[in-house]
Amino acid sequence: MIEQAFGQRVRYLRKLKNISQEELAFRARLHKNYICDIENGRRNVSLKAIAKIAKGLDVTIDALFIQ
């Protein structure tokens, strides 16, 4: 599923940057539980949330989709 693939990519980039889910949530201005749900493929993420996650990870939006 696309949600699982996206979540795995977010987790990979987050761990690459050596930050916690809580830190990513703070940087992205999203709730920690929301980040957890995304990484576990339980959320259908909006474009606004994708932009916030990219900013929180300090990557471009396309980096969230290119492996």
Side-chain angles (χ1 to χ4, degrees):
M1 295 184 101
I2 188 74
E3 295 90 353
Q4 290 173 335
F6 181 78
Q8 288 172 356
R9 182 66 178 167
V10 170
R11 178 179 284 131
Y12 170 78
L13 292 171
R14 178 180 62 76
K15 288 187 175 194
L16 194 66
K17 302 268 182 179
N18 198 31
I19 59 174
S20 67
Q21 287 181 343
E22 188 173 8
E23 178 64 21
L24 174 56
F26 174 78
R27 292 180 184 188
R29 298 180 184 216
L30 297 168
H31 196 278
K32 179 185 162 293
N33 292 346
Y34 189 69
I35 297 296
C36 180
D37 285 349
I38 289 169
E39 289 188 0
N40 289 309
R42 293 190 298 252
R43 292 284 181 154
N44 187 5
V45 187
S46 72
L47 292 173
K48 288 181 182 181
I50 290 170
K52 287 180 177 185
I53 292 166
K55 186 174 181 177
L57 290 169
D58 194 28
V59 298
T60 60
I61 290 172
D62 64 326
L64 294 172
F65 297 95
I66 299 170
Q67 296 192 23

